[in-house]
Amino acid sequence: MLDFPVENLSAEDVERLRGIFEPLTHSVRELVDATIRTEMDAESVALAKAEIDAATARLRERQLEGSFGVRFGSDGDQMPWGNVVIGMRNPVAPPLVFVPSADGGVRADFHLGAAYEGPPGHVHGGVAAMILDHALGGAASAPDKPRLTGTITMRYRRMTPLGALHVVAAIVRTEGVKTFATGHLADADGVTVEAEGVFIQPRWARD
């Protein structure tokens, strides 16, 4: 049992929690990939299932009610660890690590494996849309000015292969509570999906 709550943490405690949970999340991501690609015999699969069920039961002995949400450290830094795109504690997340780009937007290099497949050997279109939605929303928002997706349009120029990928997004303009952003997903050969969207500052976050 953890001896401190998962909120209002010092930077030291945040890193301590990261050291506990990030390796677990990585192991579960590896498990998902192995589950998809294994060719072991039925006895080995049954044994693995029993071990997984036992581990799941152990982790459920003490857990949160509902989702993780967004926690905050004592310095105000966000901890969106359950997020499906960037969540450090979410094995479904690739995860992406966004950094500022030269044009004031955001970018990320990442890898998508077998768990994100749609067409054979390629990324599911819904996964590509999810990543671009998050990227455009991240570019359109600021820590003190969150903006949520109003509308978003995707243009699928070609299929996106599984493997090493890159995403970028930037603001085009802002009109009142609306911010317009564009971005794209690309592999080593160029752009695969383009996106443009309108992001709205919610009423509860307005001055």
Side-chain angles (χ1 to χ4, degrees), residues 21-38:
F21 290 106
E22 193 167 33
L24 171 64
T25 308
H26 177 74
S27 292
V28 177
R29 289 191 184 109
E30 289 294 308
L31 175 61
V32 170
D33 186 77
T35 299
I36 295 169
R37 300 196 290 134
T38 187

Side-chain angles (χ1 to χ4, degrees), residues 68-91:
F68 189 88
V70 178
R71 309 299 180 89
F72 293 88
S74 57
D75 56 2
D77 283 353
Q78 293 186 5
M79 299 164 56
W81 287 357
N83 185 279
V84 72
V85 177
I86 62 173
M88 183 275 288
R89 287 185 59 174
N90 189 341

Side-chain angles (χ1 to χ4, degrees), residues 156-169:
Y156 294 86
R157 297 178 57 176
R158 59 185 172 89
M159 290 195 297
T160 303
L162 295 171
L165 298 169
H166 179 73
V167 64
V168 297

Side-chain angles (χ1 to χ4, degrees), residues 5-203:
V6 191
E7 56 188 347
N8 197 33
L9 301 173
S10 67
E12 181 180 5
D13 281 343
V14 169
E15 287 308 305
R16 181 179 170 192
L17 273 183
R18 183 181 293 275
I20 293 170
F21 290 106
E22 193 167 33
L24 171 64
T25 308
H26 177 74
S27 292
V28 177
R29 289 191 184 109
E30 289 294 308
L31 175 61
V32 170
D33 186 77
T35 299
I36 295 169
R37 300 196 290 134
T38 187
E39 295 187 335
M40 293 298 292
D41 58 79
E43 182 179 355
S44 297
V45 171
L47 178 60
K49 177 186 180 302
E51 293 170 341
I52 293 166
D53 289 347
T56 300
R58 179 178 302 168
L59 293 173
R60 287 200 185 281
E61 289 177 5
R62 183 170 181 258
Q63 64 180 18
L64 296 168
E65 292 292 335
S67 64
F68 189 88
V70 178
R71 309 299 180 89
F72 293 88
S74 57
D75 56 2
D77 283 353
Q78 293 186 5
M79 299 164 56
W81 287 357
N83 185 279
V84 72
V85 177
I86 62 173
M88 183 275 288
R89 287 185 59 174
N90 189 341
V92 176
L96 273 67
V97 178
F98 284 95
V99 297
S101 55
D103 60 2
V106 296
R107 59 183 174 83
D109 295 305
F110 59 102
H111 183 278
L112 294 183
Y116 304 96
E117 185 175 57
H122 293 82
V123 178
H124 192 291
V127 172
M130 175 181 71
I131 289 171
L132 279 162
D133 181 35
H134 189 100
L136 268 64
S141 298
D144 61 337
K145 290 186 177 180
R147 293 183 173 90
L148 306 179
T149 309
T151 61
I152 190 164
T153 302
M154 302 290 165
R155 296 184 182 87
Y156 294 86
R157 297 178 57 176
R158 59 185 172 89
M159 290 195 297
T160 303
L162 295 171
L165 298 169
H166 179 73
V167 64
V168 297
I171 292 175
V172 176
R173 68 184 186 279
T174 297
E175 298 176 359
V177 299
K178 297 181 179 180
T179 294
F180 298 77
T182 62
H184 67 258
L185 186 64
D187 65 1
D189 295 323
V191 175
T192 61
V193 186
E194 296 173 328
E196 58 184 23
V198 181
F199 295 82
I200 313 296
Q201 188 173 9
R203 292 184 184 279

